[in-house]
């Protein structure tokens, strides 16, 4: 069992930056993929960025070049640096830990942190 706690959300103006943090209750060195997802009102939850245990990263097209995901296995932390924020980035952001299993995965989720981009 892995508990995830996000922090760092808030209100920011368009063009601004925020850094989200996700702390895990257990070692993440054995977690295959750590990721960030978001869900805007009335929309489905979508993958924003993820990073494998080997450090390979994957980003949604909508945030490429603006967001950067990183993980610190020694501290059991995952981060999402968000730059040049846009109003359409407004959403609840969720941290995800994924253990790959044959035919699927075992997923853990945080409670989410609100990011609001508004003048």
């Amino acid at each position: 069992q892995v508990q995830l706690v996000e922090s760092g959300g808030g209100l920011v103006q368009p063009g601004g930056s925020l850094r989200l943090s996700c702390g895990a209750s257990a070692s993440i060195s054995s977690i295959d993929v750590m990721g960030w997802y978001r869900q805007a009102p009335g929309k489905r939850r979508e993958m924003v960025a993820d990073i494998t245990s080997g450090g390979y990263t994957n980003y949604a097209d909508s945030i490429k070049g603006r967001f950067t995901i990183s993980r610190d296995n020694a501290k059991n932390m995952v981060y999402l640096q968000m730059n040049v924020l846009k109003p359409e980035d407004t959403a609840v952001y969720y941290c995800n830990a994924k253990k790959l299993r044959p035919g699927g995965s075992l997923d853990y989720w945080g409670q989410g942190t609100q990011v609001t981009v508004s003048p």
Side-chain angles (χ1 to χ4, degrees):
Q1 189 80 339
V2 179
Q3 293 181 328
L4 304 171
V5 179
E6 303 97 335
S7 61
L11 173 64
V12 64
Q13 293 185 341
S17 298
L18 281 175
R19 187 194 195 206
L20 304 184
S21 299
C22 172
S25 62
S27 173
I28 66 169
S29 59
S30 63
I31 301 294
D32 298 296
V33 185
M34 296 295 301
W36 288 95
Y37 289 68
R38 69 185 181 186
Q39 187 167 18
K43 295 188 176 181
R44 300 182 69 175
R45 189 173 297 189
E46 63 176 358
M47 191 279 291
V48 176
D50 60 31
I51 182 168
T52 70
S53 56
Y56 291 99
T57 58
N58 181 40
Y59 295 96
D61 288 341
S62 60
I63 57 85
K64 279 182 181 177
R66 299 189 296 121
F67 292 9
T68 303
I69 189 171
S70 60
R71 64 191 284 172
D72 186 336
N73 288 345
K75 295 182 178 179
N76 298 323
M77 296 291 294
V78 180
Y79 306 98
L80 185 68
Q81 178 66 45
M82 306 187 294
N83 299 326
V84 195
L85 282 160
K86 304 176 180 180
E88 51 263 43
D89 295 318
T90 295
V92 178
Y93 284 71
Y94 297 91
C95 182
N96 170 264
K98 194 180 301 289
K99 293 185 177 181
L100 300 179
R101 294 290 185 266
S105 64
L106 182 61
D107 287 73
Y108 301 94
W109 295 93
Q111 83 288 350
T113 185
Q114 176 71 46
V115 171
T116 302
V117 185
S118 179

